[in-house]
Structures are given as C-alpha cells and as structure tokens.
C-alpha cells in the first residue's frame, strides 16, 4: 500500500486515485439495482442463499476446483479429494462470514484466524494462526514471491490497525485492499485465497454496501478468470497508483458481475411467481 504514503487515512487516499471514484459509483449503482428489485422485498433470504452458493462455487473455482454449480448444489460429501475439500471449505467459509460481522471491526485478526480454522480444519497444529518462519505455504495458484513470516505478521498488524481505525474510504476500496493484501502476504499455511475472498465479502457486507450479501464478488472474480485476477493482483503488488487503481477497478467489476448474477436470479424467481 505504498501509494497511500504516510497519510492519516491511507485507504481514503487510495479512493482518490484516478478512476477509482468511477468504479465506486458504478458498483453502487449495480448494487442499488439489485436491492430495488421487487423480489428482494419479498424473497431476499432466497437471493442471499443463492448468492452464497454461487459465491462459494466461484471462490473454489479460483482455488482450482472449478465445479458446475449444480454439482456444488447436489453434493453433500466434500471429503473425497482435494477438489472436493476445496469446495467444502469455500462453502463453510461463506456460511461463517455472516457470523463474524460484529467482531470484524474490533478484531479483524481474530476473524481471519477463525476463517482459516474453518477452511483448514484438518491441519491440526497449523490452523487458526499466522504461519511461522520456515513453514511452507500451500497456495499453488498464486505464484508470487512470498514475504517472510516476520514481514507478513507486521503487515497483517498494520492492515488490522487500518480496519480498526476506520476512516472515510469507500467500502469497495477497503474490501479490495483487504483482499489484495491477504493474497500478497499469504499469512497462513494454506487456503489464503479462500480466506482473502471471504474477508472481501465481510467488508462489503459489514460496510453497508451489500448488507444482505447478495452481490457476491467471488462470482465476478471467477467470471473474469484466473489470468485477469492474477494480472490485476500484480498491479496491487506494484504499489503504483495505476496498479492499485487497476486492482480496485477489477474488484469493482467483480462486484458488479455478482450483482448481475443476483439480478438474473431475481428475474427467474419473478417469472416463476408470475
């Protein structure tokens, strides 16, 4: 987050980057369209449940388990192989996200530890805590230089401090920074991508931008594709104004696509009710 410099509110400074305000406004309009749909007034719980399922599928796809939606919907056992366990972890994280909103602003590190515990419950002595020096990281789809454990711990503390302090940054900016920083740091020994995307979801819900969690960014990230995702992440890692703005715009586009998906679900339910 070097672009923000030493300003009192570095996340707000990112919000002032060229083009970011346009992304923020476009996301707000997309989200508002979903919330304004007549089905949302009568069946918002159904839209939330469907968005959760589709979001988990999208996050798992980016982690290497690209299953058809109906397969995710049909399956009840996710213990068979690596892909099944990845999908199961994504589903558990999506279900857990809504339970952690009240804790996030006071103790984001506690929330992140809980998310890792939920995702990686089978890795007894390494779950629910940041990695230690020398511990390997199992994140094969994110082939970026790995910061040392000490650097990861320090930057994680800094990120937590920004969240606790609050500020005037738009929800999209905060969500994108949380997401990008967790992918850059990979603070846990595994499941960092799943945790990062869930944390992005928590920020978008808790900020009030998407309080019913119906605009799943994970859907959009998967639709935009892994190559575009990693290219945009490279921009975040560059620390340049252009790169940071491009990453924020990419995350914004993902939210818009998640909103479009839920609009389609609303339309389908409306046709069924007609």
């Amino acid at each position: 987050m070097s672009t923000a410099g030493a300003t009192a509110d570095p996340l707000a400074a990112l919000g002032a980057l060229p083009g970011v305000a346009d992304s923020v406004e476009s996301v707000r309009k997309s989200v508002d369209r979903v919330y304004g749909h007549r089905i949302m007034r009568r069946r918002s719980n159904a839209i939330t449940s469907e968005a959760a399922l589709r979001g988990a599928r999208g996050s798992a796809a980016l982690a290497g388990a690209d299953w058809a939606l109906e397969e995710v919907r049909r399956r009840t056992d996710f213990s068979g192989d690596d892909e099944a366990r990845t999908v199961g972890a994504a589903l558990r994280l999506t279900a857990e996200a809504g339970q952690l909103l009240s804790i996030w602003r006071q103790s984001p590190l506690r929330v992140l530890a809980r998310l890792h515990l939920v995702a990686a419950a089978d890795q007894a002595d390494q779950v629910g805590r940041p990695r230690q020096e020398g511990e390997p990281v199992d994140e094969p789809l994110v082939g970026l230089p790995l910061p040392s454990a000490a650097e990861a711990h320090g930057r994680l503390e800094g990120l937590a401090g920004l969240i606790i302090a609050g500020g005037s940054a738009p929800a999209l900016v905060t969500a994108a920074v949380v997401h990008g920083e967790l992918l850059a740091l990979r603070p846990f020994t595994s499941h960092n991508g799943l945790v990062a995307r869930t944390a992005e979801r928590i920020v978008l819900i808790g900020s009030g931008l998407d309080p019913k969690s119906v605009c799943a960014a994970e859907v959009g990230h998967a639709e935009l594709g892994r190559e575009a995702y990693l290219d945009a992440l490279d921009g975040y890692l560059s620390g340049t104004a252009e790169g940071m703005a491009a990453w924020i715009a990419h995350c914004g586009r993902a939210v818009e696509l998640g909103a479009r998906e839920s609009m389609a679900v609303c339309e389908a339910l409306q046709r069924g009710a007609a």
Side-chain angles (χ1 to χ4, degrees):
M1 294 180 290
S2 58
T3 300
T7 60
D9 190 349
L11 294 180
L14 293 176
L17 291 174
V20 170
D22 291 340
S23 294
V24 169
E25 180 62 20
S26 183
V27 165
R28 168 55 69 187
K29 288 179 179 178
S30 295
V31 173
D32 285 348
R33 279 194 291 271
V34 178
Y35 279 82
H37 198 286
R38 59 184 295 187
I39 288 294
M40 279 294 294
R41 294 192 291 271
R42 296 185 286 136
R43 300 189 62 183
S44 64
N45 288 343
I47 307 303
T48 296
S49 295
E50 187 64 20
L53 183 72
R54 294 177 185 225
R57 192 217 74 82
S59 192
L62 286 170
D66 192 0
W67 288 15
L69 179 63
E70 290 311 312
E71 177 66 8
V72 179
R73 197 189 304 279
R74 180 187 68 81
R75 287 283 285 268
T76 56
D77 180 10
F78 296 95
S79 61
D81 55 24
D82 286 347
E83 284 198 5
R85 285 190 288 273
T86 296
V87 175
L91 288 166
R92 292 193 302 273
L93 285 171
T94 301
E96 189 76 9
Q99 311 303 313
L100 300 171
L101 296 173
S102 63
I103 305 172
W104 175 254
R105 284 296 297 272
Q106 287 73 42
S107 185
L109 295 183
R110 180 180 164 195
V111 169
L112 293 173
R114 173 62 185 171
L115 292 176
H116 188 247
L117 179 65
V118 168
D122 59 338
Q123 298 172 351
D125 63 338
Q126 297 177 335
V127 301
R129 62 160 176 80
R131 57 186 167 88
Q132 298 172 2
E133 212 64 63
E135 287 184 331
V137 174
D138 181 14
E139 205 72 43
L141 300 176
V142 181
L144 304 169
L146 186 69
S148 69
E151 180 183 351
H153 291 189
R155 285 173 60 179
L156 201 60
E157 291 281 356
L159 179 64
L162 290 176
I163 294 165
I164 293 168
S168 60
L172 172 64
V173 172
T174 303
V177 168
V178 167
H179 185 170
E181 194 71 355
L182 291 174
L183 283 177
L185 298 179
R186 280 147 291 161
F188 302 107
T189 57
S190 65
H191 298 88
N192 290 286
L194 293 176
V195 168
R197 290 183 288 275
T198 305
E200 178 185 47
R201 173 185 284 265
I202 289 173
V203 174
L204 294 172
I205 301 169
S207 67
L209 176 65
D210 182 20
K212 294 184 183 294
S213 191
V214 296
C215 302
E218 304 96 319
V219 169
H221 285 304
E223 184 172 338
L224 290 167
R226 190 179 304 146
E227 184 177 350
Y229 184 66
L230 295 177
D231 283 348
L233 181 61
D234 282 341
Y236 178 85
L237 292 174
S238 75
T240 65
E242 295 80 5
M244 298 290 282
W247 170 249
I248 293 167
H250 183 86
C251 290
R253 182 61 180 149
V255 177
E256 291 179 53
L257 291 171
R260 186 182 72 179
E261 185 95 347
S262 284
M263 277 292 288
V265 173
C266 287
E267 291 293 327
L269 288 175
Q270 182 168 276
R271 289 193 297 272

